[in-house]
Amino acid sequence: MKRTSFGRATASSRHAFALRTTVAALAGAGLISSATVGAQEIAAAGTPAATPADAVVLVTGTRQAAQSAQTIKRNAEQVVDSIVADDIGKFPDKNVAEILGRVPGVQVIRQGGEAGNVVIRGLGGITTLYNGREMFTAAGRSLFLADVPVAMLQRVDVYKSQGADMVEGGTSGVIDVRTNRPFDFKGQQTAINVRAEHRDKADKIDPNVSGMLSNRWKSAIGEIGLLGGLSYQRGRYHDETAFVGEPREIDRGIMGAPSMGRVMSGGDRERLAGNLSAQWRPSRDLEVYAESFSTRIEHDSQSIFFVGDLPINNPASTVTAISGTNYLESISNPMVNTFTLSSTQARRDMSEGHQGAIGAIWKPVDGVRVSSELVRTVSKYTQKNPILDTIRNAAKPISASVRDGGGYLTYPGVDMTDPGPWTMFAMFDNHNRSRGAATDWRGDVSWVPEADGFIKEVSGGARIAERFASYVHELGNYAAAPDQWGPGAIKVAGFQGLNCTSPATGGNYGMNQFYAPCADFLLNNTGVIRQAIRGDSSPRPDDPLSYYADREKTQAIYAKLNFGFDAWTLPIDGTLGARYVKTKQTISGYSSNNGVVSPTTVSSTTSDVLPSLSMRAHFRQDLMGRLSASKAIERAPFGDFNPGLVLFPSTTTTLATGTAGNPHLKPQEARNVDVALEWYFAPAGSLTGTLFHHKYENYLRRTARPEVHDGATYNVSRPYNAVSGNLKGAELAYQQFYTFLPGWLSGLGAQANFTYMDGGLAEADGTINTFAGMSRRSANLVGLYEYGKWSARLAYSWRDRFTAEYNYRGTPHAIVVDPLKTLDASISYKLTDNLTITLDGSNLLDQAYHDYHTVPELPRDVRRYDRVVGLALRWRN
């Protein structure tokens, strides 16, 4: 064997050996099918390999999962971080969004009983894929990650750079959710997971049940594999918020808010999901597969608002300021009739999504691989959302103050839960629905030359996709109750089943409970409330100005070259590629001109060239440098193109506002560069550092600006393309298992990562703001343990403060969020070789979400979420 001056194999022979080693490791972990193994071995050696069906061995455990994730990162063409299942369907968290909170540079927000909102490097420009294919919800462009049950997952890949062969979209990253296939297992495989979880604030115990059955057979027509999975989840949750209104000068030169209140949210969410996968290999050179995924979510929820106006500018009120400032500390009045509102927003949501795919992989001759796939995706979403405002129009004592970064509000000596004094004030009769469907086809071909030279592989392909999305909501939702302030006001006590009490608060915000209209009554007897307020029990018609139908046709082709060479004695390999994308969009909707509603259609065509380059320098067998540069685009959400304008006139409780789209939006563009140094000192031990820089053009921001329509001024929210933006930063990650320690201590391991980011947007007026939602610093520290029958995990996540919103509700104030800290844990014990019991907990610190208007002395919200504890039994053969 030829040697270099370092005493190692040449780049070409080492490339083939390293790739075969990687393939063997991934197959052993059950991460890729044997069809993929064969294709990778062709890429490595240029010759077909024997089908390793009998050599696939499922390896499980926390340490093996960490090792497999590290192997994926090390050998990927792009900058990627992965989380791999410890065992079939066994992840340290219960949904995909919570899993991703452990990845360097990824941050999540929890609400509604779970983690849901995900950002990569502080930004939300993310595309989600399901087994490498586009997946979405109704009129949205991406899959809601919390809707994917972890029981079906094999791994989750987070791409921070993109290659030419990847589906375009996602200026900040791509999240690919990967599920199991039958050829991932040696033979029959069965797994059943039964879990019960308790949420402390909701005080409910809910089930989580999932199962998977997979098998493969050799037959006269070749090898056949079938896999099916089913998951059911129920989650009843409780979130609570104590809020303070927008700041202004309220009394005697003191800055404060004219109101304080509560938002008590809760819900009952049920998710049912199923997946099927079939593989057929009639010969060593051909594989045909079919897959499907379906999910249905039924979700009843409520948000109970309490708004108490403060007795400002009243000579009888006692007002104090925080020492040394002119910010409000407390205000009280012995008897005053300020506006007092209790409102229940009831919601009944139903969402369905279905995707089916059929494809084939064929190796017609040595070194050539051809694949093709056809995908159909459909989705629908409906929501019923009646809102009833009620008021307590009577004089009462009031005491309020700013305490512990939040609002404290109480009415001494008054029973605020008594429905007797409460009357109907107004109704908002809301509904909406959206539909989505897509058909896409892609074909790919790759060629590995026999001669081992500079060119390692040449590949190319094409994709054609057509996507349809539509949305509509109600017309004229607001109706004021008759005689709102007079003696003829409608008393709520006369409606049996309407009168409820809000849930008790977990924190001390003053008044603990209050009267609230019952959400179930509003959902199931909406016609009764309509009749009482409007004299008509029928629902509101659709608003044509809210309707849009967007048809988007995309054509893409790409070419990619994998290369390798020695720069003097330094082995270098990499990938150079480009993707050309042409998008034609036709948006139909309605516009209003002087009160005349007429249909309108806007069409546009855009073309983009997306180059990409990725290179790796192998300084040593365990030390690698990486450079990745690429251009990415992200199309705006479909609703942002809606040409229609919807106006909401001012009411007693709301300002005159409007919402509209912008059919002339350009795709957002990002030019991303990553430079990394990666040291892999053990099979599951690594230290990596990455510097990154993203430059954005046409960045999308939604901004509310005053507009005059029919002589009235409305604060209209529209999306706009900002001028430009920059984001730069660094990521540092460490992972190790301390196997050198004696005895039971050898089961200890740790994962740690830290991310620093800096950057912002240059708006059209020249103002530069940091990215909304971006924390400059974030970190994760995870302690791991696996020894004998025991395994455990303790995970701490922290993110620095961030600005959530600029010019909040048209004011000069920004909403700033204090640092967030979460602690999750799990511990497992193997009762038998097949049966494992797990105890886990999330949000163990009961961290409060706290934000404020620009300065901490002007708080907005204190939010608290459920602490969740779960107990699970998992069986697999």
Side-chain angles (χ1 to χ4, degrees), residues 373-404:
E373 184 176 75
L374 181 66
V375 184
R376 176 66 175 172
T377 308
V378 295
S379 182
K380 65 179 181 179
Y381 171 81
T382 59
Q383 183 186 70
K384 179 181 179 181
N385 177 211
I387 301 172
L388 179 61
D389 289 353
T390 64
I391 61 171
R392 194 181 193 279
N393 187 21
K396 49 198 168 293
I398 185 171
S399 177
S401 61
V402 173
R403 296 187 187 180
D404 301 323

Side-chain angles (χ1 to χ4, degrees), residues 450-682:
E450 275 190 48
D452 190 8
F454 174 80
I455 298 176
K456 305 301 180 185
E457 182 180 344
V458 178
S459 59
R463 179 175 181 266
I464 302 172
E466 183 171 346
R467 172 85 186 272
F468 174 80
S470 67
Y471 172 85
V472 70
H473 67 63
E474 76 293 327
L475 171 68
N477 63 342
Y478 176 77
D483 200 19
Q484 291 173 313
W485 305 101
I490 305 171
K491 291 187 173 294
V492 298
F495 293 81
Q496 186 176 3
L498 179 62
N499 305 306
C500 287
T501 300
S502 72
T505 60
N508 183 12
Y509 314 122
M511 177 187 57
N512 188 258
Q513 290 181 284
F514 51 90
Y515 163 80
C518 301
D520 287 344
F521 186 90
L522 293 180
L523 290 169
N524 299 324
N525 302 276
T526 314
V528 174
I529 305 301
R530 295 184 187 122
Q531 185 69 42
I533 292 180
R534 295 198 329 247
D536 177 10
S537 62
S538 59
R540 304 305 300 160
D542 292 343
D543 182 0
L545 289 177
S546 72
Y547 173 81
Y548 70 81
D550 195 329
R551 190 170 298 276
E552 185 177 271
K553 297 181 180 180
T554 303
Q555 298 173 324
I557 58 173
Y558 79 90
K560 190 177 74 168
L561 171 69
N562 287 17
F563 59 85
F565 61 92
D566 280 356
W568 292 276
T569 57
L570 181 63
I572 293 176
D573 59 26
T575 302
L576 176 65
R579 187 178 188 89
Y580 171 76
V581 185
K582 181 179 179 180
T583 303
K584 182 177 180 181
Q585 196 166 35
T586 303
I587 309 109
S588 300
Y590 292 86
S591 292
S592 176
N593 187 3
N594 294 322
V596 178
V597 177
S598 58
T600 181
T601 299
V602 180
S603 296
S604 63
T605 301
T606 60
S607 298
D608 296 278
V609 177
L610 308 176
S612 59
L613 171 66
S614 181
M615 298 178 65
R616 298 183 300 179
H618 301 267
F619 300 112
R620 295 191 324 231
Q621 188 174 0
D622 62 345
L623 184 64
M624 176 196 307
R626 188 188 298 270
L627 168 66
S628 179
S630 62
K631 178 184 176 182
I633 60 170
E634 179 189 354
R635 303 178 187 96
F638 289 107
D640 284 351
F641 293 102
N642 184 5
L645 168 67
V646 183
L647 299 175
F648 303 95
S650 62
T651 70
T652 307
T653 59
T654 62
L655 301 174
T657 60
T659 60
N662 183 348
H664 305 293
L665 291 173
K666 303 174 183 178
Q668 298 178 116
E669 297 180 2
R671 291 169 174 81
N672 305 329
V673 177
D674 288 73
V675 179
L677 186 63
E678 302 169 358
W679 178 32
Y680 299 99
F681 54 81

Side-chain angles (χ1 to χ4, degrees), residues 67-128:
Q67 179 177 337
S68 300
Q70 179 172 296
T71 303
I72 293 170
K73 178 181 178 67
R74 180 175 185 173
N75 292 280
E77 294 177 356
Q78 306 302 324
V79 179
V80 62
D81 287 289
S82 298
I83 298 182
V84 177
D86 293 1
D87 203 338
I88 302 171
K90 183 179 183 292
F91 279 87
D93 301 280
K94 60 182 180 294
N95 75 44
V96 175
E98 292 184 350
I99 292 170
L100 293 172
R102 315 280 179 245
V103 174
V106 177
Q107 299 160 346
V108 301
I109 293 291
R110 303 188 187 202
Q111 60 183 8
E114 61 191 4
N117 183 34
V118 178
V119 296
I120 297 178
R121 292 173 174 171
L123 304 177
I126 300 170
T127 290
T128 57

Side-chain angles (χ1 to χ4, degrees), residues 325-345:
T325 75
N326 68 332
Y327 296 121
L328 176 70
E329 180 182 52
S330 68
I331 183 170
S332 61
N333 193 297
M335 189 61 64
V336 66
N337 187 16
T338 55
F339 181 75
T340 308
L341 175 139
S342 177
S343 173
T344 296
Q345 299 188 3

Side-chain angles (χ1 to χ4, degrees), residues 87-353:
D87 203 338
I88 302 171
K90 183 179 183 292
F91 279 87
D93 301 280
K94 60 182 180 294
N95 75 44
V96 175
E98 292 184 350
I99 292 170
L100 293 172
R102 315 280 179 245
V103 174
V106 177
Q107 299 160 346
V108 301
I109 293 291
R110 303 188 187 202
Q111 60 183 8
E114 61 191 4
N117 183 34
V118 178
V119 296
I120 297 178
R121 292 173 174 171
L123 304 177
I126 300 170
T127 290
T128 57
L129 306 177
Y130 181 82
N131 288 330
R133 302 182 288 266
E134 270 194 315
M135 185 70 178
F136 50 81
T137 57
R141 287 198 179 272
S142 292
L143 178 66
F144 185 58
L145 291 169
D147 287 343
V148 182
V150 297
M152 297 178 178
L153 298 186
Q154 180 195 80
R155 74 178 196 265
V156 182
D157 298 329
V158 179
Y159 291 90
K160 299 170 184 175
S161 67
Q162 297 183 43
D165 56 340
M166 297 176 64
V167 177
E168 68 278 353
T171 49
S172 63
V174 176
I175 298 173
D176 192 1
V177 176
R178 294 281 178 173
T179 59
N180 290 299
R181 289 177 171 177
F183 285 179
D184 293 337
F185 307 108
K186 183 177 180 180
Q188 181 177 332
Q189 188 69 65
T190 305
I192 298 174
N193 194 324
V194 179
R195 182 174 186 271
E197 64 179 24
H198 176 263
R199 290 178 168 88
D200 66 335
K201 294 176 181 60
D203 195 22
K204 302 292 184 182
I205 298 177
D206 293 315
N208 186 329
V209 182
S210 61
M212 186 206 76
L213 176 62
S214 178
N215 206 350
R216 58 193 293 180
W217 308 269
K218 291 182 178 180
S219 70
I221 60 171
E223 189 167 15
I224 298 172
L226 295 174
L227 178 148
L230 194 64
S231 171
Y232 170 78
Q233 298 176 342
R234 186 181 187 187
R236 288 172 288 181
Y237 62 88
H238 171 80
D239 299 343
E240 62 185 38
T241 300
F243 74 84
V244 181
E246 298 104 50
R248 66 187 189 196
E249 185 175 322
I250 59 168
D251 201 312
R252 301 161 214 185
I254 293 177
M255 288 290 295
S259 62
M260 292 184 183
R262 310 273 188 276
V263 184
M264 310 296 288
S265 298
D268 186 353
R269 180 193 299 110
E270 292 184 282
R271 288 191 177 102
L272 182 65
N275 70 318
L276 294 171
S277 179
Q279 290 175 282
W280 172 42
R281 187 178 298 134
S283 69
R284 60 184 295 184
D285 297 322
L286 177 64
E287 180 184 315
V288 180
Y289 63 88
E291 290 186 318
S292 69
F293 172 72
S294 293
T295 181
R296 179 182 175 91
I297 300 98
E298 296 181 352
H299 186 191
D300 280 6
S301 62
Q302 65 177 9
S303 294
I304 301 172
F305 285 78
F306 183 93
V307 180
D309 278 5
L310 303 182
I312 61 175
N313 299 315
N314 187 319
S317 296
T318 301
V319 184
T320 65
I322 298 172
S323 179
T325 75
N326 68 332
Y327 296 121
L328 176 70
E329 180 182 52
S330 68
I331 183 170
S332 61
N333 193 297
M335 189 61 64
V336 66
N337 187 16
T338 55
F339 181 75
T340 308
L341 175 139
S342 177
S343 173
T344 296
Q345 299 188 3
R347 293 175 293 270
R348 177 161 289 162
D349 303 301
M350 192 283 293
S351 176
E352 278 189 20

